[in-house]
Amino acid sequence: MKHIFLVFVGLFIMFTAHAAKVDTVSVFSARMQKAVKTVVVLPEQQQIQSVLYLLHGYSGNYSNWVNNVSSLKDLVDQYGYVVVCPDGGFDSWYWDTTDDNYKYETFITKELIPFIEDRYTVGNQRVNRGITGLSMGGHGALYLAFRHQDLFAFAGSTSGGVDIRPFPENWNMKQRLGTYHENKKVWDDHTVIELTHLVQAGNLQLFIDCGTDDFFFAVNNKLHEKLDYLRIPHVYLTMPGKHDWNYWSQSIAYQMAFFEQCFLSASKIN
């Protein structure tokens, strides 16, 4: 299954001088009582319907994708859909937690999406929305998509931390969830690989990739195997690479080509 996607991606990108517009907006979160910076990359063409929410990783911010991937604006122009990069906090993992400053699930699903759809007059159906991200953001994208299939029809992850439990001392997760030893049920409820039972087969189109030298490679393989066992359709791609921007600068081309195919197929049906 992992090789099928290569047929229509090809890695041949025809770059032109990009005319994509980059907006940086502040989206007020009533739930967190703060403004959340968000980058919005808009293609040159008009009457855009579809939006890809693109999440950053641990210790990152809203500007990471546009600052670190020089091809992002070219890809937006090529594929013709909006890319939205919200700030997800230093270490939120895109959960709602007991800390009022960390309600990023609510922010994205109930505050950011309505803001984007109102301000940019894009489509407001689930088939107009995709979500993906890197590392913490890859986890966040699948976590939100699995839990909110009424909002998202398409989801992905690149180098995602799709099972957090092998890393109980890392990335401030115990500050958000409590220690793993004392809160195993909470950790299970907040890790992607334990939420696959929520996915209705065929309801979400999924694309997952990871570099073979990435410390998250093993957990991505396990998620792929579990999805296969549950007969949940998905594309799984592995390539040489580490957990770094060299890899993500390549993988984003595959990710965005996948979402283009999803949006095009949905537009033909509708």
Side-chain angles (χ1 to χ4, degrees):
M1 184 180 297
K2 69 174 122 177
H3 302 295
I4 296 173
F5 183 64
L6 298 177
V7 174
F8 66 83
V9 175
L11 255 199
F12 179 71
I13 306 289
M14 292 184 65
F15 292 118
T16 58
H18 55 70
K21 176 185 177 184
V22 178
D23 274 355
T24 301
V25 297
S26 290
V27 184
F28 182 73
S29 169
R31 189 67 182 85
M32 294 189 287
Q33 285 296 299
K34 64 182 181 183
V36 179
K37 287 284 187 69
T38 300
V39 160
V40 181
V41 189
L42 299 142
E44 182 180 20
Q45 68 186 64
Q46 302 299 310
Q47 297 181 328
I48 306 151
Q49 286 296 303
S50 300
V51 179
L52 177 63
Y53 293 86
L54 182 58
L55 309 182
H56 66 76
Y58 171 81
S59 78
N61 62 49
Y62 64 97
S63 67
N64 281 171
W65 276 106
V66 75
N67 285 342
N68 288 288
V69 179
S70 60
S71 63
L72 184 62
K73 288 184 283 187
D74 297 294
L75 290 165
V76 167
D77 266 341
Q78 179 182 357
Y79 293 131
Y81 54 79
V82 179
V83 168
V84 175
C85 304
D87 200 291
F90 187 88
D91 56 358
S92 76
W93 289 83
Y94 300 93
W95 299 315
D96 278 358
T97 68
T98 55
D99 185 339
D100 285 341
N101 285 315
Y102 285 83
K103 304 290 185 183
Y104 284 92
E105 179 177 7
T106 292
F107 170 69
I108 289 174
T109 60
K110 297 186 183 301
E111 298 176 324
L112 178 63
I113 289 175
F115 176 92
I116 294 297
E117 292 175 355
D118 179 63
R119 184 181 180 103
Y120 297 102
T121 60
V122 292
N124 61 1
Q125 305 299 309
R126 64 187 295 271
V127 293
N128 301 123
R129 304 187 195 106
I131 187 168
T132 191
L134 69 86
S135 193
M136 178 183 86
H139 162 278
L142 295 180
Y143 177 81
L144 295 176
F146 286 8
R147 288 168 53 85
H148 299 277
Q149 292 170 66
D150 59 321
L151 295 179
F152 300 102
F154 317 115
S157 168
T158 181
S159 307
V162 295
D163 188 355
I164 61 173
R165 297 167 303 178
F167 311 96
E169 300 299 319
N170 295 78
W171 310 302
N172 295 347
M173 290 185 292
K174 66 182 179 181
Q175 276 70 42
R176 307 284 156 247
L177 304 178
T179 63
Y180 178 60
H181 176 72
E182 296 177 327
N183 299 275
K184 289 183 180 180
K185 177 65 165 58
V186 175
W187 281 63
D188 287 348
D189 290 344
H190 287 78
T191 194
V192 165
I193 202 167
E194 291 299 324
L195 300 180
T196 53
H197 65 281
L198 298 176
V199 180
Q200 303 173 45
N203 199 40
L204 274 176
Q205 294 190 46
L206 300 170
F207 175 59
I208 299 162
D209 74 76
C210 193
T212 53
D213 296 317
D214 195 305
F215 50 78
F216 282 144
F217 183 58
V219 295
N220 276 271
N221 271 337
K222 288 180 180 178
L223 176 62
H224 163 57
E225 291 167 0
K226 187 174 184 183
L227 291 171
D228 267 354
Y229 177 77
L230 295 173
R231 297 185 178 180
I232 296 172
H234 64 289
V235 177
Y236 181 55
L237 173 66
T238 63
M239 300 184 292
K242 299 179 181 180
H243 200 83
D244 59 25
W245 283 106
N246 288 329
Y247 178 82
W248 302 320
S249 295
Q250 297 178 58
S251 69
I252 190 61
Y254 290 100
Q255 289 273 338
M256 289 188 65
F258 170 79
F259 286 103
E260 182 204 28
Q261 294 296 312
C262 292
F263 292 140
L264 284 175
S265 297
S267 68
K268 291 176 183 177
I269 294 171
N270 292 287

